[in-house]
Amino acid sequence: MTTPTKADLNLKALQLLQEDAEKIAQLIAVQLDNLTLPKCPLYEEVLDTQMFGLSREIDFAVRAGLIQREQGQQIIHDLERKLADLYTKILPASVGE
């Protein structure tokens, strides 16, 4: 049995964070595709909780030296861009309510 190298651990940490980010991106994509409940508080709460959890995972990985802070910031930035896209499509729909 071989022990993983630091590079292996760094790669695995980044891969796991990207997988978690992809799950959140899929939640955003489902909402973008449907837009049936533009301001659903439950959906917003789930999304906020998922984003917060991911930010804590990223913070841990940065502090543990598994990823660079810039890598974590990029993951969050990409999701925030997708969220911004979602909200620009939702807000016009909810203005007429």
Side-chain angles (χ1 to χ4, degrees):
M1 183 200 295
T2 62
T3 44
T5 65
K6 181 167 175 21
D8 293 336
L9 292 174
N10 294 4
L11 185 59
K12 183 65 174 175
L14 185 58
Q15 179 185 12
L16 290 172
L17 290 169
Q18 288 171 334
E19 287 173 8
D20 288 349
E22 182 55 34
K23 290 175 189 173
I24 297 171
Q26 288 173 357
L27 284 173
I28 295 168
V30 166
Q31 188 68 6
L32 277 170
D33 290 343
N34 296 315
L35 288 180
T36 53
L37 300 171
K39 290 295 282 175
C40 176
L42 181 58
Y43 175 81
E44 288 180 5
E45 185 69 29
V46 167
L47 197 51
D48 287 346
T49 301
Q50 293 291 316
M51 288 290 289
F52 177 76
L54 179 64
S55 72
R56 300 309 307 149
E57 287 179 45
I58 288 171
D59 184 54
F60 173 80
V62 168
R63 289 176 34 222
L66 296 171
I67 66 168
Q68 297 296 313
R69 181 164 306 281
E70 294 77 23
Q71 291 172 303
Q73 289 173 337
Q74 187 61 48
I75 291 170
I76 293 294
H77 178 72
D78 291 344
L79 284 174
E80 287 174 343
R81 223 173 330 141
K82 291 175 183 173
L83 272 174
D85 185 38
L86 171 64
Y87 287 125
T88 58
K89 291 180 180 177
I90 286 176
L91 289 178
S94 62
V95 168
E97 293 177 1

